[in-house]
Amino acid sequence: SFTSCVKTPGEGGKASIVGKIELIRRIQINNPASTVDTIAAIDVSVYIIYGDHISPDDKVDTNPDGEFSFEWLRTGDYTVYVYSEDTTSTAAPLPKVAFAFEVDILDKSDVIDLEPIYIYDKY
């Protein structure tokens, strides 16, 4: 009898997910009118979950331009997420919220370039 190896999402392929994190700084975090500027989010942790796993499988930090990359991935479903200050809260200290994005790698050599991800912080 023959057995087959089912490839699951994770490392060991040729695909990658790349993106950029932008930091919107506000004087009052829950007031969009108080936005001071938008800059590259430097040295921010970006997490990835492979398939239906519960916990993060890997983490990278953004470079000085706010860019990140997860490389050597196989085809499958992934979740990429990053933490930000909560812009809907008035609590002190501000709680963190996760901004998550679902990504499907369909071809073994795909390079998925995500739209810029915006996070928030007090100025």
Side-chain angles (χ1 to χ4, degrees):
S1 88
F2 291 98
T3 59
S4 66
C5 178
V6 176
K7 299 282 186 183
T8 58
E11 294 179 347
K14 296 180 181 179
S16 59
I17 299 171
V18 299
K20 183 173 185 175
I21 310 292
E22 296 280 332
L23 176 64
I24 298 173
R25 299 188 300 176
R26 294 179 176 171
I27 293 171
Q28 184 178 346
I29 197 77
N30 60 358
N31 181 359
S34 72
T35 298
V36 175
D37 58 11
T38 302
I39 60 172
I42 299 168
D43 205 26
V44 170
S45 296
V46 184
Y47 302 87
I48 190 167
I49 298 173
Y50 304 155
D52 60 359
H53 294 175
I54 296 172
S55 299
D57 291 293
D58 200 1
K59 173 187 84 98
V60 296
D61 293 328
T62 56
N63 69 15
D65 295 321
E67 300 165 332
F68 67 91
S69 177
F70 291 101
E71 299 183 3
W72 310 112
L73 301 173
R74 294 192 296 257
T75 57
D77 299 329
Y78 296 86
T79 302
V80 174
Y81 68 97
V82 63
Y83 288 105
S84 171
E85 298 291 343
D86 186 353
T87 61
T88 64
S89 178
T90 57
L94 286 169
K96 297 274 188 183
V97 294
F99 293 138
F101 303 88
E102 303 296 322
V103 180
D104 295 326
I105 295 177
L106 303 175
D107 185 78
K108 65 181 179 181
S109 58
D110 276 351
V111 176
I112 308 296
D113 192 354
L114 298 177
E115 294 290 323
I117 299 170
Y118 294 95
I119 62 173
Y120 301 87
D121 202 357
K122 286 192 81 166
Y123 182 75

